[in-house]
Amino acid sequence: MAKVFLLQLLLLLAGAGSGERLIGGGPCKKRERHHHVQVFHHKRNGQIGFCGGTLIHENWVLTAAHCYNQTAGGTVSVKTGVHPNSAIQKTHSNLRDIHKFEETKETGDIMLIKLPGGVRGITPAQLPKSPCKTPANGDVLQVAGYGSTVNPTGPADPKQPLQCLDQRVIHCPHSYSNTLCGEGLHKKKATYSCQGDSGGGWLKKRTGRTGVIYGVHRGSLKQFTEMSASTSVCAPRIRKWIKDTMTNH
């Protein structure tokens, strides 16, 4: 199997925001990822954290929990309609209906943000049907983001074309629970995941503009930097938490 060379996960990078970036992918197709969003954390100290996210309902965005650090204060905003460039963009500001799964970063790095008023004209990504079946080793899932396309230590650029990268699901060689792991497909092409893209969905693509989301990108496993990791949407406690949160809020 091809190896994915990943930088260590940086959950909060001072001055550059938090998240993961992709190198080794390519521009997403115009009919893909219309449900991808940009998530901004406007901190009290003036820094701005930047992540991706996925619209899974007209009122709800699924992203990584570390994209919003409550101790840093400030506000959260979400920009929808970011892909393709011809789409009608809308910024949802001062969002406070934010829900984190109460677990450690290793086992529950996932968060839901409610958008007041909802989003029209965008087909959300679909959650897996119940009972949720975790993708098997070898299945291909796609991740997307706005990180640097050339420099693993460069800044994320939310104005560049959205980048997509296919990954092969592999066995996670660590005791982390609620985790889905992946590696790149290309043997001769280095693939990096770093700051700027955390929170993006791991999707099984379907014909047309949507897909089924199976994970929320969080970065690399600390002890195994040759593979990337996401919080699994199929984990029973995670799946129940998503359903309960969306039903009760």
Side-chain angles (χ1 to χ4, degrees):
M1 287 186 176
K3 290 185 177 181
V4 180
F5 300 94
L6 296 162
L7 298 181
Q8 290 283 47
L9 175 63
L10 300 177
L11 298 183
L12 290 173
L13 185 67
S18 58
E20 297 295 305
R21 79 167 62 85
L22 302 176
I23 295 177
C28 299
K29 297 177 181 178
K30 289 184 178 181
R31 292 180 60 83
E32 295 178 326
R33 295 278 180 165
H34 290 196
H35 39 62
H36 191 87
V37 306
Q38 296 173 349
V39 179
F40 300 89
H41 179 194
H42 309 269
K43 304 173 187 178
R44 278 195 304 253
N45 62 6
Q47 295 178 1
I48 300 177
F50 173 66
C51 281
T54 306
L55 193 69
I56 60 170
H57 181 275
E58 64 180 25
N59 291 105
W60 289 97
V61 166
L62 192 62
T63 185
H66 75 257
C67 295
Y68 173 51
N69 177 15
Q70 290 101 319
T71 60
T75 62
V76 172
S77 65
V78 168
K79 183 181 288 186
T80 56
V82 296
H83 178 76
N85 292 335
S86 58
I88 299 176
Q89 297 185 2
K90 182 178 180 180
T91 299
H92 310 257
S93 302
N94 299 314
L95 300 174
R96 302 192 181 278
D97 202 346
I98 299 171
H99 307 269
K100 290 189 176 186
F101 184 70
E102 295 297 329
E103 291 285 346
T104 65
K105 294 182 178 68
E106 288 80 10
T107 61
D109 191 358
I110 194 167
M111 178 170 70
L112 278 164
I113 304 173
K114 189 171 185 179
L115 305 180
V119 177
R120 304 291 186 269
I122 298 176
T123 302
Q126 298 175 12
L127 291 168
K129 294 181 179 180
S130 184
C132 186
K133 185 177 180 180
T134 301
N137 290 349
D139 283 355
V140 175
L141 300 179
Q142 183 195 71
V143 65
Y146 283 95
S148 171
T149 60
V150 294
N151 182 2
T153 61
D157 182 3
K159 295 182 180 180
Q160 73 174 348
L162 181 63
Q163 300 293 301
C164 281
L165 173 69
D166 287 340
Q167 293 193 111
R168 181 184 294 109
V169 175
I170 58 174
H171 176 71
C172 293
H174 197 275
S175 60
Y176 288 178
S177 61
N178 304 334
T179 301
L180 192 63
C181 294
E183 66 176 4
L185 303 179
H186 304 291
K187 295 181 179 180
K188 298 181 179 180
K189 192 174 184 181
T191 307
Y192 293 87
S193 174
C194 203
Q195 69 199 31
D197 294 331
S198 278
W202 285 27
L203 269 75
K204 184 170 287 188
K205 294 183 290 185
R206 286 184 171 179
T207 302
R209 301 181 182 181
T210 190
V212 180
I213 183 169
Y214 283 93
V216 174
H217 190 66
R218 72 171 187 251
S220 62
L221 292 180
K222 294 179 180 178
Q223 288 86 350
F224 301 93
T225 57
E226 293 181 353
M227 64 183 65
S228 58
S230 71
T231 301
S232 174
V233 171
C234 282
R237 291 185 64 197
I238 297 288
R239 183 62 183 267
K240 182 178 185 303
W241 170 80
I242 291 173
K243 180 181 178 180
D244 291 348
T245 301
M246 293 175 64
T247 300
N248 298 325
H249 295 274

